[in-house]
């Protein structure tokens, strides 16, 4: 079985490495030999064995009837979308690690694959090497998925972990993350929460079977988290994590990405550094968690290769994925139950007590001029209205 890889970057080179170095093992798993016939890239790689299969023209790949599976690891929407769509229309299965592509066009590409009796697979698009798409699609099909909650971005988790352990401010830790290669030079997609929003949109679409647009996901990043916020959290035995979640509350659906305070009863509490984890709650199953490296060349490539093997094993037939192009309208968040940790100036304590139902006051000797407290259970809408009356230093969901 011949496959082609689009892009020889971090993930693409990992896919090539696994498919070539583990060919014998993969043959046993797939039931037949899998050979990389082409690798598409605009660059040259002198001295690299990939030179033997390197091409610069996508038409060579898409018009070759021997190529049965096209693996896209280029990233971005174009030309990735056009290339994968054309491959499917030509009757080739397509696999991708591209979360941006899947979030935007996943439902459409699944439908084309269905019509052409091939498969569109994207295990690596959420959580890198963590298996989550396949379990949602095939193992948790009898449960109503009441909640999916996850740490979906290793960059932000690394930053928050280091801020917590070393008491550093956000800007210093971000620079450290960039120096170590954990954060991009332009880190906005990570630190503003957009990367996690795309991933939770994909998971919500799979959980509820309809298109959830990532632009509709309520999104907050971590740029406003301060060492003072973390000091309060540590005083209460809590951690701040950037959490992506989707909920089914009595048939109404919600999706968000935001910093949250969690305690050690939540298994996500122990997930530190660049690791990711996804907790799924089913009405029959209860809670289960998937944990591992959410990025990196070989962990992500491992998930891509698992899709390639599935596509080869199912050659000539479609692997069904329940995700229609019909849009799912998310419910108005103002009615969603919530609890907040709030910091205001000490001078505003009386007004804060009048505005919010204070559940617990937290005091730090190092911040005597602040009044910090947890609210009792309220709603997002009630909190937003109350916040207008106060000069809030920070507010974090708890």
């Amino acid at each position: 079985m011949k496959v082609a890889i689009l892009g020889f970057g971090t993930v693409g080179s990992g896919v090539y490495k696994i498919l070539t170095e583990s060919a014998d093992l993969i043959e046993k798993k797939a039931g037949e030999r899998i050979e990389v016939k082409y690798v598409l890239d605009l660059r040259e790689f002198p001295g690299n064995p990939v030179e033997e299969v390197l091409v610069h023209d996508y038409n060579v790949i898409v018009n070759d009837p021997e190529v049965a599976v096209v693996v896209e690891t280029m990233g971005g929407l174009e030309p990735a979308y056009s290339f994968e769509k054309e491959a499917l229309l030509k009757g080739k299965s397509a696999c991708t690690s591209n979360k941006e592509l899947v979030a935007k066009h996943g439902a459409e590409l699944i439908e084309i694959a269905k019509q052409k009796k091939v498969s569109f697979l994207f295990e690596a698009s959420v959580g890198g090497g963590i298996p989550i798409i396949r379990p949602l699609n095939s193992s948790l099909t009898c449960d109503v998925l009441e909640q999916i909650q996850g740490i979906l971005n290793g960059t932000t988790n690394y930053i928050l972990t280091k801020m917590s352990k070393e008491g550093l401010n956000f800007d210093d830790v971000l620079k450290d993350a960039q120096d170590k290669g954990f954060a991009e030079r332009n880190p906005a997609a990570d630190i503003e929460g957009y990367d996690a929003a795309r991933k939770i949109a994909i998971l919500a679409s799979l959980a509820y079977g309809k298109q959830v647009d990532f632009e509709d996901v309520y999104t907050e990043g971590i740029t406003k988290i301060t060492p003072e916020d973390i000091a309060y959290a540590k005083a209460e035995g809590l951690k701040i994590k950037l959490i992506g979640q989707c909920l089914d509350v009595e048939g109404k659906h919600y999706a968000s990405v935001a910093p949250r305070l969690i305690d050690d009863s939540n298994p996500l509490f122990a997930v530190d550094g660049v690791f990711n984890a996804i907790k799924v709650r089913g009405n029959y199953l209860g809670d289960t968690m998937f944990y591992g490296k959410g990025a990196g060349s070989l962990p992500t490539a491992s998930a891509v290769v698992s899709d390639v093997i599935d596509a080869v094993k199912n050659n000539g037939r479609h692997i069904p994925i329940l995700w229609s192009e019909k849009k799912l309208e998310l419910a108005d968040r103002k009615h969603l139950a919530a609890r907040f940790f709030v910091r205001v100036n000490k001078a505003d304590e009386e007004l804060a007590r009048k505005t919010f139902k204070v559940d617990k006051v937290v005091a730090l000797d190092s911040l005597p001029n602040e009044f910090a407290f947890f609210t009792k259970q309220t709603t997002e809408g009630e909190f937003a209205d109350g916040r207008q009356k106060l000069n809030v230093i920070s507010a974090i969901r708890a």
Side-chain angles (χ1 to χ4, degrees):
M1 188 71 71
K2 305 293 196 297
V3 305
I5 302 168
L6 312 183
F8 196 67
T10 301
V11 178
S13 60
V15 172
Y16 177 79
K17 177 183 176 71
I18 294 172
L19 286 173
T20 52
E21 290 186 359
S22 300
D24 292 342
L25 174 63
I26 290 169
E27 182 178 356
K28 292 177 184 177
K29 297 290 180 74
E32 63 180 289
R33 198 76 173 176
I34 297 177
E35 177 186 319
V36 179
K37 187 169 184 181
Y38 302 110
V39 171
L40 177 75
D41 204 290
L42 295 176
R43 299 166 294 175
E44 301 289 348
F45 299 92
N48 191 308
V50 78
E51 278 188 304
E52 298 176 10
V53 294
L54 189 66
V55 295
H56 305 301
D57 183 0
Y58 177 66
N59 289 313
V60 173
I61 293 169
V62 80
N63 292 320
D64 187 337
E66 279 197 338
V67 174
V69 183
V70 175
V71 178
E72 185 275 313
T73 63
M74 304 164 69
L77 282 178
E78 286 294 352
Y81 166 62
S82 297
F83 286 175
E84 290 286 78
K85 183 176 180 178
E86 189 175 357
L88 291 168
L89 289 169
K90 285 286 183 75
K92 305 176 189 299
S93 286
C95 306
T96 184
S97 59
N98 187 337
K99 57 190 167 286
E100 190 175 357
L101 169 66
V102 176
K104 185 75 173 177
H105 298 292
E108 176 196 356
L109 296 176
I110 289 167
E111 182 58 31
I112 294 171
K114 180 180 178 182
Q115 292 171 7
K116 294 294 181 178
K117 295 183 172 57
V118 292
S119 297
F120 177 63
L121 303 174
F122 44 92
E123 180 63 69
S125 65
V126 177
I130 303 171
I132 183 62
I133 305 297
R134 198 170 281 106
L136 286 182
N137 190 48
S138 60
S139 302
L140 302 172
T141 51
C142 67
D143 277 66
V144 173
L145 299 181
E146 298 171 343
Q147 181 191 70
I148 299 176
Q149 189 179 67
I151 295 170
L152 301 172
N153 182 274
T155 299
T156 51
N157 203 43
Y158 173 84
I159 290 171
L160 291 172
T161 299
K162 197 167 180 69
M163 287 178 70
S164 179
K165 290 184 175 179
E166 300 183 21
L168 301 173
N169 65 45
F170 173 82
D171 290 335
D172 289 342
V173 179
L174 173 59
K175 185 178 185 306
D176 170 75
Q178 289 172 321
D179 291 343
K180 291 181 177 176
F182 295 148
E184 302 288 343
R185 288 297 119 189
N186 179 2
D190 294 323
I191 63 177
E192 298 293 353
Y194 307 138
D195 175 79
R198 287 187 172 93
K199 292 173 180 175
I200 201 65
I202 293 169
L203 295 178
S205 298
L206 291 168
Y208 309 134
K210 296 179 182 178
Q211 174 69 22
V212 175
D213 292 340
F214 81 90
E215 296 93 341
D216 295 339
V217 175
Y218 174 83
T219 305
E220 283 183 28
I222 64 166
T223 57
K224 295 178 182 177
I225 300 298
T226 66
E228 291 77 17
D229 293 323
I230 288 173
Y232 278 114
K234 292 176 82 169
E236 292 295 295
L238 305 173
K239 288 182 180 178
I240 301 172
K241 299 290 186 183
L242 185 69
I243 302 290
Q245 72 172 18
C246 57
L247 304 170
D248 181 334
V249 182
E250 298 178 346
K252 294 181 179 179
H253 299 101
Y254 304 88
S256 65
V257 172
R260 292 181 182 272
L261 285 157
I262 59 175
D263 63 24
D264 60 7
S265 69
N266 188 326
L268 297 176
F269 182 89
V271 179
D272 285 336
V274 295
F275 281 82
N276 287 189
I278 302 159
K279 180 165 67 77
V280 180
R281 177 176 300 160
N283 62 326
Y284 295 125
L285 173 71
D287 286 347
T288 188
M289 191 168 87
F290 303 84
Y291 169 83
K293 289 187 177 180
S297 175
L298 294 178
T300 305
S302 173
V304 175
V305 173
S306 74
D307 280 346
V308 173
I309 292 170
D310 257 9
V312 170
K313 287 168 67 176
N314 290 277
N315 188 39
R317 71 186 186 90
H318 173 68
I319 299 174
I321 297 175
L322 182 61
W323 178 355
S324 81
E325 293 184 74
K326 184 177 180 181
K327 182 175 177 178
L328 179 69
E329 297 292 344
L330 297 176
D332 190 336
R333 290 181 55 79
K334 70 181 182 182
H335 304 300
L336 187 62
R339 185 170 178 256
F340 291 83
F341 172 71
V342 186
R343 293 167 55 204
V344 299
N345 292 316
K346 186 71 173 176
D348 291 333
E349 176 177 352
E350 184 178 351
L351 179 57
R353 288 184 179 276
K354 288 179 179 178
T355 303
F356 298 110
K357 295 177 180 177
V358 175
D359 184 37
K360 182 180 182 181
V361 175
V362 183
L364 292 180
D365 292 341
S366 58
L367 295 168
N369 295 322
E370 289 190 7
F371 176 60
F373 61 96
F374 288 90
T375 69
K376 292 183 178 179
Q377 197 84 334
T378 181
T379 67
E380 292 273 356
E382 289 169 344
F383 181 79
D385 290 343
R387 185 172 187 164
Q388 301 294 322
K389 303 174 184 177
L390 282 159
N391 181 21
V392 173
I393 298 170
S394 73
I396 303 171
R397 289 163 183 81

